[in-house]
Amino acid sequence: MTARAMAQHPRLLLTPETVTEIRQELGSVPVFDAQMAEAVSMVNAAIDQGIDVPIPVDMAGGYTHERHKRNWLLMQQAGVLYQFTEDKKYAEYVREMLLAYAEMYPTLGLHPAKRSYSPGKLFWQCLNDANWLVSVSQAYDCIYEFLSEEERELLERDLFRPYADFLSVENPQFFNRIHNHSTWACAAVGMIGLVLEDEEIVSRALYGLRDSSIQAGMLDNDGGMIRKAGEYQAGFLAQMEGSFSPDGYFTEGPYYLRYAIFPFLLFSASLDQSMPELDILGYHDSILRKAVYALLNQTDANGLVFPINDAQKGMSWKSRDIVTAVDLAYHLYDQDPELLSIAQLQGWVTLDPAGFRVSKDLQQGLAKPLHRNSVMYRDGAQGTQGGIGILRAEGSAGHELCLVMKYSAQGGGHGHFDKLSYSLYGPMGEIVQDYGSVRWVNIDQKGGGTYLPENNSWAKQSIAHNTVTVDQTTQYQGKIQLADANQPYLFAADILHPEVQYISARDSNAYPGVMLHRSMVLIADSGLAEPIVVDLFRVESDSAHTYDLPLWYTGHLLTTNMEFEQLAALTPMGKNHGYQHMWLEGQGVAGEAPITMTWFANGTFYSMISVATPGDLLISTFLGADDPNHNLRRDPALLIRKKDQADALFVNVVEPHGSYSPVLEIPKTPYGVIKGVEVILNNREYSIVSIHTEDGTQRNIMIANRDNDPAATHEVTAKDQSWTWTGPFHYMTNNK
Amino acid sequence: MTARAMAQHPRLLLTPETVTEIRQELGSVPVFDAQMAEAVSMVNAAIDQGIDVPIPVDMAGGYTHERHKRNWLLMQQAGVLYQFTEDKKYAEYVREMLLAYAEMYPTLGLHPAKRSYSPGKLFWQCLNDANWLVSVSQAYDCIYEFLSEEERELLERDLFRPYADFLSVENPQFFNRIHNHSTWACAAVGMIGLVLEDEEIVSRALYGLRDSSIQAGMLDNDGGMIRKAGEYQAGFLAQMEGSFSPDGYFTEGPYYLRYAIFPFLLFSASLDQSMPELDILGYHDSILRKAVYALLNQTDANGLVFPINDAQKGMSWKSRDIVTAVDLAYHLYDQDPELLSIAQLQGWVTLDPAGFRVSKDLQQGLAKPLHRNSVMYRDGAQGTQGGIGILRAEGSAGHELCLVMKYSAQGGGHGHFDKLSYSLYGPMGEIVQDYGSVRWVNIDQKGGGTYLPENNSWAKQSIAHNTVTVDQTTQYQGKIQLADANQPYLFAADILHPEVQYISARDSNAYPGVMLHRSMVLIADSGLAEPIVVDLFRVESDSAHTYDLPLWYTGHLLTTNMEFEQLAALTPMGKNHGYQHMWLEGQGVAGEAPITMTWFANGTFYSMISVATPGDLLISTFLGADDPNHNLRRDPALLIRKKDQADALFVNVVEPHGSYSPVLEIPKTPYGVIKGVEVILNNREYSIVSIHTEDGTQRNIMIANRDNDPAATHEVTAKDQSWTWTGPFHYMTNNK
């Protein structure tokens, strides 16, 4: 540790210098001032109510859980207020509460709930204990010099050192993983280590436990592996290398990235001050900067986080974690003015030098609108385990259509078995949805806020996603270990041309003997008022199977050209693999004509046109079967089922069109422009599909299914026409 | 007609004097100017595209229907723009379009759709033809003096006079009713009559057809009676007397009031200028003023119109009709500054002297916040046919809870069989919902935008509403004629004391031999953070019946203390009376303990606690059975069923509490404060119920079921205690 670091407190997010600067300018930085006022109001009210440090009893959502959560926030905020206002009542409040914790802590055994693979002491899981210490180490740092030496000794002896040991050496299965739990653990232990000026503790946080006795293959509560075979590194630096792909993608998905980025950035900001020689911000090619942008990119037009893998819907830019991420990234990296526009939307800033700078620069009008281009993120620490593509296009009215295609790795215990799935977002949110998780975070009435049984039985299953399920069986038999060992393969992609963007990926491991190959195309040319999505899902097998492709649309079905057989009673579609949760509502049999369907969601019409093989079943279904505690939403889907086929091709085109408001009651463009979809050719070598719009335009997509060499030329005759092109994918328009 | 009226054009909403005044101030009245700019942009674009007056073919939602609708708006706006800008291109545009209509009109027979009791010529129903003329008479008025005498003669001969005759003498079943259709008809005919300076036509509009051959009992498309027996008056003045109750309540409900108020006000504003001697604004005790306020009161905290009777959800203050109503009411009556605050929310004004004045007064900062007190509206032209109560109360955070209890008359063909039903609205909208209508207004894919079959089979049925259904049969056997002849009786009410407001009403006609008596209480005292609703629904009969009381909650069920028997297959709850649309999802049997249930809607928790008789069934159900075209929403309900009982009492208490956001993930107050509900006494004479909150307070409600004399004193002993009070209803708190 450097001399500078040893010299003074505070030293985590604040320093004596930055505090002095902020004190001088208080009252002239509106957003920061407003946040100060809110913190003052919250903490003053809490001081009036008095301190409560209850014996831990409850699960998430229960009183003691929520109280200890509130206490960590109150202490952290009070510590900051003490620094900025110099009002001793805030320091005294923190001191009293810390002393109460120090009195209770030595008396605590493990939390009584015993529902975690790593039970905590204050909370049912160590994870929350780590959350607590990340905040409380800041509070302690802020009042460090206010305390007497005796008080510090007592707190360190009875509270902080045993607390840090508990989270690390006493719980290696929690501390020594490559997982968001361990990121929190390392940050918590490291941050208190910095405050305690204890090099050994800091080193433990940075480099992990040297010797831990975790067996490879041991599982956590979510079914995730504690340590994968061959994985030996641990600690914060190893987390930075192992948690992200080289592009900053987080394998558990953006909901957990949002959660993990917070300790990553807080500990890094602290290290940047105390141990500048580490150059933690530049570490691993500035991976944290990439991660922040990856997080911001994985949100829809209104900043709602894509609910892929285990994720509670509704999480957004406005969360405390993302406010912190935006402020710290702005401050610690290159002051990107586009981040300021997000800070503006967020409406508040963190009470630290980062938030202070953001507030000042907002005041100076430096914000620039956020522009997000299409992007493809590689998954896996080496970037070799598939990825996700986020394709964005704008329609004539400036409305964004955003296609998210997932061909990533499994993502551990929070991953879903949804290889080659997609979801679609419009200007008002979800159009074709990913279910998200079955969980009501922190809602006591819903299983104490933990993952509900239907998260496994439904949300993780393949049929819960917009991808092909083979033989009504979840990919990889629903086994994480198998899924973790494989991932899809990116066959071809081009997202650089706004008129036609595509991603083509395949998977041969999810189902033995079955090759899934999906090509998704986002077309936004000047002949279309709104972008359209073309989805070619090809399946190859040498034996016959049943292939199910659902469309989990949001909103209300307006019309379809299929005649459904009316079912007088509803029964579940199956017994397992998620089908047990789906009511079979109606079914029809496809003839020669394409299947059409129009639905209405969030003020906009959407139409799908689908090429079916005569005999394909079209099934209308919705959720809610085998759901005794009403944990599921009653979301609807249309499912196309191809029975007894070896090779098969699903072709679906989705287009947004028009609008309707119940206030005006005037529909605009209630019918789409796509009048036909035609499979010109489909075999194991080539697929050619044409889309016909009402203005007579024919858009053709040609795919070389076997050969993704960009230089290879292809020539084939189909429907009395010769088709020639170069590369695995070609797009061509005939204006007729 | 007065000399003033005969002198000049324009003469409907504009006059040469008001036009001169507005012209001079254009550019200095921001809201009005913005609306002008929008109109200029819309009409200029239309002028560029050229005129299209297609031969009528389509139903609502189809091209010709929407085009003729658009034409009337374009002509009306262009006429106004000609007056304000003096730019002749606008007058020429209107002239050309009118001449095109005059060329086509004499060639038209009835519209080919033939689906209305009164087919129109331009549209499938006369109603839309009348809509057209209300707007187009204004357009003609605006360019009257621009036209040559020959052009006027041609237009009047080939278009306007035959048009007015078609809507009146040729369709008496449409023109001569007391119904919103006829209001439009009279306004259309009357407004063109004023422009034509034809006293006979105006008189026809004001006083109706002298001799019409409508048989009493003839029905319209909605099952409404064209003419009720004993009803002989017709015409606009009769409409003003017959359409509203003396309080301004419109018997079809606020959705239709919104629709009808538009022609009422436009024709009245025109008459006020042309025939001031009529004092139309003061007519029938200024009934139109009352109606405007009744409309504004029948909306929730965000201005969404209560969806009672046939009503499409989502209609709000922002609709063109209500903008017009607010502007005209402000201008024509007493410039109530509270109306300005609604105009502010609406964000735009009408392009006439009313909108101009509103815009000027907004600019001067005259707006005052709208305050809405609880109110009870009487129904029926004489105010003797029941009514509706709108009870509002505020919680500690200023959040409004609004209880709407309906004990009104049937409301004709658009009425629902929902005597003694209620709905509940929070700060974010519906909590306990009225289904509204099964209709997608103007959406071609949904039956051409008309009422769908499920409107009759579901939306109108009693079980679709939060009221008691007896023996699984709709009130009045679902027969409008029976229902129209009767209505509930207001037993007692007091809405003047914000701490405790109540309405108690009964009905003995909906089910022969069964008396329904519901008392609803809204309590908002200082001991409660949020208001609570207490619902005592008493049923008396001398024979045994099945009584069903559903709770059509919005949002997601979190938890209930009832154990539901899991049903492996879903079947409809019945064969008719709406039950055929409800899936039986699960059921449980009540024991001694009250039934509790908590749900989550729009960011807030709600809990219900219900006293059940052991053996009562609790049924979990949701909509969607027998719905081949997906016309219904999949809304859920909990239903309490009392089987084989003669007298019965349902006691339900509903309380809002706390909040939760998926961004913060921190639930506030996820449990309610009501810990018990106890029936102290219940017989045909008295009902006494106590509500216990967690702070130990006991709130007691005492009702004298037989005697609503406010001076009568009552004394009864129950649970070893003597209860004494005066009047039909008493409320008393024991702090224990």
Side-chain angles (χ1 to χ4, degrees), chain B residues 458-490:
Chain B
W458 170 249
K460 287 186 177 178
Q461 304 299 318
S462 301
I463 195 64
H465 301 84
N466 301 289
T467 188
V468 165
T469 291
V470 178
D471 296 331
Q472 297 163 68
T473 306
T474 285
Q475 297 172 350
Y476 293 106
Q477 306 162 50
K479 294 184 180 164
I480 291 183
Q481 292 84 337
L482 291 177
D484 257 343
N486 293 286
Q487 58 280 321
Y489 159 69
L490 181 63

mmCIF file of all heavy atoms in Angstrom, chain B residues 458-490:
data_model
loop_
_atom_site.group_PDB
_atom_site.id
_atom_site.type_symbol
_atom_site.label_atom_id
_atom_site.label_comp_id
_atom_site.label_asym_id
_atom_site.label_seq_id
_atom_site.Cartn_x
_atom_site.Cartn_y
_atom_site.Cartn_z
ATOM 1 N N TRP B 458 -71.130 -11.590 -22.303
ATOM 2 C CA TRP B 458 -70.293 -11.382 -21.133
ATOM 3 C C TRP B 458 -70.496 -10.002 -20.469
ATOM 4 O O TRP B 458 -70.978 -9.915 -19.357
ATOM 5 C CB TRP B 458 -68.796 -11.572 -21.476
ATOM 6 C CG TRP B 458 -67.934 -11.137 -20.355
ATOM 7 C CD1 TRP B 458 -67.107 -10.050 -20.309
ATOM 8 C CD2 TRP B 458 -67.880 -11.727 -19.048
ATOM 9 N NE1 TRP B 458 -66.530 -9.940 -19.078
ATOM 10 C CE2 TRP B 458 -66.993 -10.951 -18.295
ATOM 11 C CE3 TRP B 458 -68.511 -12.836 -18.448
ATOM 12 C CZ2 TRP B 458 -66.699 -11.245 -16.953
ATOM 13 C CZ3 TRP B 458 -68.225 -13.131 -17.133
ATOM 14 C CH2 TRP B 458 -67.324 -12.346 -16.399
ATOM 15 N N ALA B 459 -70.137 -8.947 -21.168
ATOM 16 C CA ALA B 459 -69.971 -7.657 -20.483
ATOM 17 C C ALA B 459 -71.245 -7.165 -19.801
ATOM 18 O O ALA B 459 -71.192 -6.537 -18.755
ATOM 19 C CB ALA B 459 -69.459 -6.605 -21.460
ATOM 20 N N LYS B 460 -72.378 -7.481 -20.403
ATOM 21 C CA LYS B 460 -73.629 -6.992 -19.809
ATOM 22 C C LYS B 460 -74.131 -7.865 -18.662
ATOM 23 O O LYS B 460 -75.006 -7.439 -17.909
ATOM 24 C CB LYS B 460 -74.718 -6.915 -20.887
ATOM 25 C CG LYS B 460 -74.507 -5.774 -21.859
ATOM 26 C CD LYS B 460 -75.681 -5.651 -22.828
ATOM 27 C CE LYS B 460 -75.449 -4.430 -23.731
ATOM 28 N NZ LYS B 460 -76.540 -4.291 -24.713
ATOM 29 N N GLN B 461 -73.611 -9.073 -18.564
ATOM 30 C CA GLN B 461 -74.134 -10.010 -17.570
ATOM 31 C C GLN B 461 -73.754 -9.584 -16.147
ATOM 32 O O GLN B 461 -72.714 -8.968 -15.925
ATOM 33 C CB GLN B 461 -73.596 -11.417 -17.835
ATOM 34 C CG GLN B 461 -73.893 -11.934 -19.247
ATOM 35 C CD GLN B 461 -75.382 -12.046 -19.551
ATOM 36 O OE1 GLN B 461 -76.151 -12.495 -18.698
ATOM 37 N NE2 GLN B 461 -75.786 -11.620 -20.738
ATOM 38 N N SER B 462 -74.562 -9.962 -15.198
ATOM 39 C CA SER B 462 -74.336 -9.539 -13.813
ATOM 40 C C SER B 462 -73.017 -10.062 -13.257
ATOM 41 O O SER B 462 -72.302 -9.355 -12.550
ATOM 42 C CB SER B 462 -75.486 -10.002 -12.922
ATOM 43 O OG SER B 462 -76.693 -9.458 -13.390
ATOM 44 N N ILE B 463 -72.662 -11.303 -13.602
ATOM 45 C CA ILE B 463 -71.471 -11.900 -13.003
ATOM 46 C C ILE B 463 -70.196 -11.189 -13.479
ATOM 47 O O ILE B 463 -69.140 -11.313 -12.851
ATOM 48 C CB ILE B 463 -71.419 -13.423 -13.280
ATOM 49 C CG1 ILE B 463 -70.391 -14.113 -12.371
ATOM 50 C CG2 ILE B 463 -71.105 -13.706 -14.748
ATOM 51 C CD1 ILE B 463 -70.706 -14.050 -10.906
ATOM 52 N N ALA B 464 -70.311 -10.430 -14.541
ATOM 53 C CA ALA B 464 -69.165 -9.643 -15.016
ATOM 54 C C ALA B 464 -68.908 -8.441 -14.117
ATOM 55 O O ALA B 464 -67.961 -7.686 -14.353
ATOM 56 C CB ALA B 464 -69.400 -9.180 -16.458
ATOM 57 N N HIS B 465 -69.737 -8.250 -13.121
ATOM 58 C CA HIS B 465 -69.646 -7.056 -12.276
ATOM 59 C C HIS B 465 -69.498 -7.425 -10.813
ATOM 60 O O HIS B 465 -69.831 -8.534 -10.401
ATOM 61 C CB HIS B 465 -70.907 -6.197 -12.469
ATOM 62 C CG HIS B 465 -71.092 -5.760 -13.885
ATOM 63 N ND1 HIS B 465 -71.708 -6.573 -14.821
ATOM 64 C CD2 HIS B 465 -70.715 -4.634 -14.543
ATOM 65 C CE1 HIS B 465 -71.723 -5.947 -15.999
ATOM 66 N NE2 HIS B 465 -71.119 -4.778 -15.862
ATOM 67 N N ASN B 466 -69.035 -6.489 -10.048
ATOM 68 C CA ASN B 466 -68.808 -6.705 -8.628
ATOM 69 C C ASN B 466 -70.111 -6.525 -7.858
ATOM 70 O O ASN B 466 -70.283 -5.573 -7.092
ATOM 71 C CB ASN B 466 -67.714 -5.751 -8.133
ATOM 72 C CG ASN B 466 -66.416 -5.963 -8.874
ATOM 73 O OD1 ASN B 466 -65.755 -6.980 -8.686
ATOM 74 N ND2 ASN B 466 -66.077 -5.038 -9.755
ATOM 75 N N THR B 467 -71.022 -7.438 -8.124
ATOM 76 C CA THR B 467 -72.300 -7.429 -7.408
ATOM 77 C C THR B 467 -72.752 -8.879 -7.250
ATOM 78 O O THR B 467 -72.143 -9.781 -7.816
ATOM 79 C CB THR B 467 -73.364 -6.585 -8.140
ATOM 80 O OG1 THR B 467 -74.527 -6.472 -7.306
ATOM 81 C CG2 THR B 467 -73.756 -7.212 -9.485
ATOM 82 N N VAL B 468 -73.829 -9.084 -6.491
ATOM 83 C CA VAL B 468 -74.291 -10.452 -6.250
ATOM 84 C C VAL B 468 -75.122 -10.956 -7.426
ATOM 85 O O VAL B 468 -76.028 -10.274 -7.893
ATOM 86 C CB VAL B 468 -75.102 -10.533 -4.938
ATOM 87 C CG1 VAL B 468 -75.886 -11.839 -4.874
ATOM 88 C CG2 VAL B 468 -74.176 -10.407 -3.733
ATOM 89 N N THR B 469 -74.763 -12.117 -7.899
ATOM 90 C CA THR B 469 -75.572 -12.837 -8.883
ATOM 91 C C THR B 469 -76.285 -13.966 -8.139
ATOM 92 O O THR B 469 -75.655 -14.713 -7.391
ATOM 93 C CB THR B 469 -74.682 -13.405 -9.999
ATOM 94 O OG1 THR B 469 -74.183 -12.334 -10.773
ATOM 95 C CG2 THR B 469 -75.476 -14.342 -10.909
ATOM 96 N N VAL B 470 -77.588 -14.054 -8.348
ATOM 97 C CA VAL B 470 -78.383 -15.056 -7.646
ATOM 98 C C VAL B 470 -78.636 -16.251 -8.565
ATOM 99 O O VAL B 470 -79.031 -16.074 -9.729
ATOM 100 C CB VAL B 470 -79.724 -14.444 -7.175
ATOM 101 C CG1 VAL B 470 -80.585 -15.500 -6.489
ATOM 102 C CG2 VAL B 470 -79.472 -13.261 -6.251
ATOM 103 N N ASP B 471 -78.375 -17.426 -8.069
ATOM 104 C CA ASP B 471 -78.635 -18.664 -8.806
ATOM 105 C C ASP B 471 -78.002 -18.652 -10.200
ATOM 106 O O ASP B 471 -78.578 -19.178 -11.162
ATOM 107 C CB ASP B 471 -80.146 -18.923 -8.911
ATOM 108 C CG ASP B 471 -80.760 -19.144 -7.532
ATOM 109 O OD1 ASP B 471 -80.053 -19.625 -6.622
ATOM 110 O OD2 ASP B 471 -81.949 -18.798 -7.367
ATOM 111 N N GLN B 472 -76.847 -18.023 -10.283
ATOM 112 C CA GLN B 472 -76.090 -18.002 -11.546
ATOM 113 C C GLN B 472 -76.922 -17.505 -12.730
ATOM 114 O O GLN B 472 -76.775 -17.984 -13.861
ATOM 115 C CB GLN B 472 -75.491 -19.380 -11.816
ATOM 116 C CG GLN B 472 -74.492 -19.756 -10.717
ATOM 117 C CD GLN B 472 -74.174 -21.221 -10.676
ATOM 118 O OE1 GLN B 472 -73.557 -21.751 -11.572
ATOM 119 N NE2 GLN B 472 -74.599 -21.881 -9.608
ATOM 120 N N THR B 473 -77.768 -16.542 -12.418
ATOM 121 C CA THR B 473 -78.669 -15.988 -13.421
ATOM 122 C C THR B 473 -78.540 -14.472 -13.414
ATOM 123 O O THR B 473 -78.501 -13.857 -12.347
ATOM 124 C CB THR B 473 -80.125 -16.354 -13.074
ATOM 125 O OG1 THR B 473 -80.199 -17.761 -12.908
ATOM 126 C CG2 THR B 473 -81.082 -15.910 -14.155
ATOM 127 N N THR B 474 -78.489 -13.899 -14.579
ATOM 128 C CA THR B 474 -78.357 -12.442 -14.660
ATOM 129 C C THR B 474 -79.619 -11.741 -14.163
ATOM 130 O O THR B 474 -80.737 -12.257 -14.301
ATOM 131 C CB THR B 474 -78.011 -12.059 -16.111
ATOM 132 O OG1 THR B 474 -76.640 -12.395 -16.326
ATOM 133 C CG2 THR B 474 -78.206 -10.573 -16.383
ATOM 134 N N GLN B 475 -79.384 -10.583 -13.566
ATOM 135 C CA GLN B 475 -80.490 -9.779 -13.061
ATOM 136 C C GLN B 475 -81.533 -9.560 -14.159
ATOM 137 O O GLN B 475 -81.183 -9.406 -15.329
ATOM 138 C CB GLN B 475 -79.957 -8.417 -12.602
ATOM 139 C CG GLN B 475 -78.971 -8.497 -11.440
ATOM 140 C CD GLN B 475 -78.329 -7.162 -11.134
ATOM 141 O OE1 GLN B 475 -78.474 -6.200 -11.884
ATOM 142 N NE2 GLN B 475 -77.593 -7.096 -10.023
ATOM 143 N N TYR B 476 -82.772 -9.486 -13.770
ATOM 144 C CA TYR B 476 -83.868 -9.233 -14.705
ATOM 145 C C TYR B 476 -83.853 -10.225 -15.863
ATOM 146 O O TYR B 476 -84.259 -9.888 -16.977
ATOM 147 C CB TYR B 476 -83.820 -7.803 -15.243
ATOM 148 C CG TYR B 476 -84.095 -6.770 -14.184
ATOM 149 C CD1 TYR B 476 -83.066 -5.979 -13.668
ATOM 150 C CD2 TYR B 476 -85.385 -6.577 -13.683
ATOM 151 C CE1 TYR B 476 -83.307 -5.033 -12.690
ATOM 152 C CE2 TYR B 476 -85.642 -5.625 -12.705
ATOM 153 C CZ TYR B 476 -84.597 -4.864 -12.206
ATOM 154 O OH TYR B 476 -84.859 -3.931 -11.237
ATOM 155 N N GLN B 477 -83.301 -11.410 -15.636
ATOM 156 C CA GLN B 477 -83.179 -12.423 -16.699
ATOM 157 C C GLN B 477 -82.478 -11.859 -17.933
ATOM 158 O O GLN B 477 -82.640 -12.358 -19.044
ATOM 159 C CB GLN B 477 -84.567 -12.941 -17.108
ATOM 160 C CG GLN B 477 -85.391 -13.470 -15.942
ATOM 161 C CD GLN B 477 -86.871 -13.558 -16.317
ATOM 162 O OE1 GLN B 477 -87.232 -14.107 -17.354
ATOM 163 N NE2 GLN B 477 -87.719 -12.999 -15.464
ATOM 164 N N GLY B 478 -81.738 -10.768 -17.732
ATOM 165 C CA GLY B 478 -81.041 -10.171 -18.866
ATOM 166 C C GLY B 478 -81.953 -9.461 -19.851
ATOM 167 O O GLY B 478 -81.570 -9.241 -20.997
ATOM 168 N N LYS B 479 -83.153 -9.113 -19.409
ATOM 169 C CA LYS B 479 -84.112 -8.473 -20.325
ATOM 170 C C LYS B 479 -84.156 -6.965 -20.075
ATOM 171 O O LYS B 479 -84.544 -6.508 -18.989
ATOM 172 C CB LYS B 479 -85.504 -9.081 -20.150
ATOM 173 C CG LYS B 479 -85.521 -10.544 -20.592
ATOM 174 C CD LYS B 479 -86.899 -11.151 -20.528
ATOM 175 C CE LYS B 479 -86.843 -12.616 -20.988
ATOM 176 N NZ LYS B 479 -88.048 -13.366 -20.608
ATOM 177 N N ILE B 480 -83.792 -6.219 -21.097
ATOM 178 C CA ILE B 480 -83.732 -4.771 -20.949
ATOM 179 C C ILE B 480 -85.088 -4.179 -20.581
ATOM 180 O O ILE B 480 -85.179 -3.275 -19.746
ATOM 181 C CB ILE B 480 -83.216 -4.123 -22.256
ATOM 182 C CG1 ILE B 480 -81.740 -4.477 -22.456
ATOM 183 C CG2 ILE B 480 -83.372 -2.619 -22.207
ATOM 184 C CD1 ILE B 480 -81.137 -3.832 -23.671
ATOM 185 N N GLN B 481 -86.120 -4.688 -21.211
ATOM 186 C CA GLN B 481 -87.442 -4.103 -20.956
ATOM 187 C C GLN B 481 -87.806 -4.186 -19.481
ATOM 188 O O GLN B 481 -88.328 -3.232 -18.908
ATOM 189 C CB GLN B 481 -88.525 -4.809 -21.793
ATOM 190 C CG GLN B 481 -88.408 -4.570 -23.281
ATOM 191 C CD GLN B 481 -87.422 -5.521 -23.955
ATOM 192 O OE1 GLN B 481 -86.517 -6.073 -23.303
ATOM 193 N NE2 GLN B 481 -87.574 -5.705 -25.250
ATOM 194 N N LEU B 482 -87.520 -5.336 -18.864
ATOM 195 C CA LEU B 482 -87.809 -5.470 -17.431
ATOM 196 C C LEU B 482 -86.915 -4.544 -16.629
ATOM 197 O O LEU B 482 -87.339 -3.864 -15.696
ATOM 198 C CB LEU B 482 -87.575 -6.913 -16.969
ATOM 199 C CG LEU B 482 -88.541 -7.976 -17.491
ATOM 200 C CD1 LEU B 482 -88.127 -9.352 -16.986
ATOM 201 C CD2 LEU B 482 -89.960 -7.642 -17.032
ATOM 202 N N ALA B 483 -85.642 -4.518 -16.995
ATOM 203 C CA ALA B 483 -84.679 -3.732 -16.236
ATOM 204 C C ALA B 483 -84.955 -2.242 -16.364
ATOM 205 O O ALA B 483 -84.819 -1.483 -15.401
ATOM 206 C CB ALA B 483 -83.261 -4.055 -16.717
ATOM 207 N N ASP B 484 -85.336 -1.834 -17.554
ATOM 208 C CA ASP B 484 -85.610 -0.416 -17.778
ATOM 209 C C ASP B 484 -86.765 0.078 -16.919
ATOM 210 O O ASP B 484 -86.864 1.263 -16.619
ATOM 211 C CB ASP B 484 -85.947 -0.178 -19.264
ATOM 212 C CG ASP B 484 -84.772 0.426 -20.021
ATOM 213 O OD1 ASP B 484 -83.849 0.958 -19.366
ATOM 214 O OD2 ASP B 484 -84.773 0.377 -21.263
ATOM 215 N N ALA B 485 -87.641 -0.823 -16.543
ATOM 216 C CA ALA B 485 -88.839 -0.416 -15.822
ATOM 217 C C ALA B 485 -88.619 -0.309 -14.310
ATOM 218 O O ALA B 485 -89.519 0.098 -13.582
ATOM 219 C CB ALA B 485 -89.967 -1.420 -16.109
ATOM 220 N N ASN B 486 -87.441 -0.676 -13.847
ATOM 221 C CA ASN B 486 -87.197 -0.695 -12.399
ATOM 222 C C ASN B 486 -85.810 -0.137 -12.087
ATOM 223 O O ASN B 486 -84.972 -0.023 -12.969
ATOM 224 C CB ASN B 486 -87.257 -2.130 -11.867
ATOM 225 C CG ASN B 486 -88.650 -2.709 -11.974
ATOM 226 O OD1 ASN B 486 -89.532 -2.349 -11.218
ATOM 227 N ND2 ASN B 486 -88.830 -3.594 -12.948
ATOM 228 N N GLN B 487 -85.579 0.143 -10.846
ATOM 229 C CA GLN B 487 -84.243 0.543 -10.427
ATOM 230 C C GLN B 487 -84.115 0.389 -8.923
ATOM 231 O O GLN B 487 -85.105 0.257 -8.218
ATOM 232 C CB GLN B 487 -83.924 1.984 -10.844
ATOM 233 C CG GLN B 487 -84.871 3.030 -10.309
ATOM 234 C CD GLN B 487 -86.146 3.084 -11.121
ATOM 235 O OE1 GLN B 487 -86.101 2.951 -12.338
ATOM 236 N NE2 GLN B 487 -87.280 3.254 -10.478
ATOM 237 N N PRO B 488 -82.879 0.364 -8.438
ATOM 238 C CA PRO B 488 -82.680 0.238 -6.994
ATOM 239 C C PRO B 488 -83.191 1.474 -6.251
ATOM 240 O O PRO B 488 -83.552 2.497 -6.841
ATOM 241 C CB PRO B 488 -81.157 0.120 -6.852
ATOM 242 C CG PRO B 488 -80.666 -0.317 -8.186
ATOM 243 C CD PRO B 488 -81.602 0.326 -9.171
ATOM 244 N N TYR B 489 -83.163 1.328 -4.971
ATOM 245 C CA TYR B 489 -83.715 2.355 -4.092
ATOM 246 C C TYR B 489 -82.621 2.786 -3.113
ATOM 247 O O TYR B 489 -81.954 1.940 -2.508
ATOM 248 C CB TYR B 489 -84.918 1.739 -3.366
ATOM 249 C CG TYR B 489 -85.344 2.405 -2.089
ATOM 250 C CD1 TYR B 489 -85.925 3.685 -2.126
ATOM 251 C CD2 TYR B 489 -85.206 1.758 -0.855
ATOM 252 C CE1 TYR B 489 -86.322 4.287 -0.939
ATOM 253 C CE2 TYR B 489 -85.610 2.357 0.319
ATOM 254 C CZ TYR B 489 -86.162 3.628 0.277
ATOM 255 O OH TYR B 489 -86.563 4.223 1.444
ATOM 256 N N LEU B 490 -82.394 4.074 -3.034
ATOM 257 C CA LEU B 490 -81.367 4.592 -2.129
ATOM 258 C C LEU B 490 -81.904 4.551 -0.701
ATOM 259 O O LEU B 490 -82.825 5.289 -0.360
ATOM 260 C CB LEU B 490 -80.988 6.015 -2.526
ATOM 261 C CG LEU B 490 -79.898 6.662 -1.675
ATOM 262 C CD1 LEU B 490 -78.583 5.898 -1.795
ATOM 263 C CD2 LEU B 490 -79.699 8.119 -2.087
#
